[in-house]
Amino acid sequence: MAASLWTSGTTGRPTPDPAPALVRVALQAGATSVAHADVAAMLSGICVALVPAARVGGAALLLREPADPRDPEARRVFGSDTAALRLGELQRRADAGPGPAAERGDRTLTTPDLTRSGPPELAAAAADCGLVRSLSVPVPVAGRAAGVLQLFARGGPDDPLGERLVVALAPVVTALAARLTDVRELARLQLRAAQPSVPEQPDALDRTALIPAARRSPVVPVAPRVPAQRQARHRRHDQG
């Protein structure tokens, strides 16, 4: 029997399991080629797709370094909408809040009330847009947290930000990490190809050609040696 896509929520009402929808988001992200992609549009699109898939109020991606080294704007924050982008940028700019804290600690962090969280600008913005809860999940690149994927919710009895969502987000986080790695590797290869080639130096040089003729050691001929017995025989002939 196939596993049900519906589970009981905290109020006893059935709520959909987000895992299948999030797997589809991960597969779409994984199939996206970065060779000719608009990286900012791709990452923002993933955040947009996460909102209905995870049944949350907003999503943002906060990165420690620019997503694309070739981006003249050096963008590090991407969001599903204006409100999510604002919350993400406030945290990234101040390097404070649940997102940067989860990044530094390399651990998932659930924040029950953003209106009581620092920095003060984040608390005020959360109260203003109504996104009062968050789930921050580190995104690892090259073995360390390169940023966080942050989901926002409005709170209430059907708040989806729980352990089940953390587990279901794993494929999306993996796909995000792979795309970020691909973008940075592509940028590195393009930068290397754009640099002028340097002619290779020979491994070994003819050192003798660098020595002046006057300093070279003269070649002294060596006379052949005459065996001792033949010398003695010649002497006896002369004496006789």
Side-chain angles (χ1 to χ4, degrees), residues 118-172:
E121 296 82 5
L122 173 63
D128 182 53
C129 66
L131 298 176
V132 297
R133 288 174 57 83
S134 75
L135 173 67
S136 305
V137 181
V139 178
V141 174
R144 66 168 189 158
V148 292
L149 177 63
Q150 195 170 36
L151 303 184
F152 303 100
R154 301 185 183 279
D158 295 326
D159 189 344
L161 304 184
E163 184 62 31
R164 185 178 61 177
L165 181 56
V166 174
V167 175
L169 279 171
V172 178

Side-chain angles (χ1 to χ4, degrees), residues 60-137:
L61 177 64
L62 290 65
L63 298 176
R64 181 180 306 173
E65 300 174 357
D68 188 348
R70 302 161 297 181
D71 181 9
E73 299 181 22
R75 283 166 289 191
R76 300 186 295 163
V77 181
F78 309 88
S80 58
D81 52 69
T82 304
L85 187 63
R86 179 185 176 192
L87 296 178
E89 287 179 340
L90 283 170
Q91 295 175 83
R92 187 78 284 170
R93 189 160 49 242
D95 195 25
E103 177 188 288
R104 284 191 294 269
D106 195 15
R107 70 187 191 281
T108 299
L109 184 63
T110 302
T111 306
D113 192 353
L114 287 172
T115 64
R116 298 184 179 182
S117 175
E121 296 82 5
L122 173 63
D128 182 53
C129 66
L131 298 176
V132 297
R133 288 174 57 83
S134 75
L135 173 67
S136 305
V137 181

Side-chain angles (χ1 to χ4, degrees), residues 70 184-198:
R70 302 161 297 181
R184 294 174 182 181
E185 179 64 13
L186 179 62
R188 186 188 70 82
L189 292 175
Q190 289 181 343
L191 179 62
R192 182 177 178 181
Q195 293 176 345
S197 58
V198 179

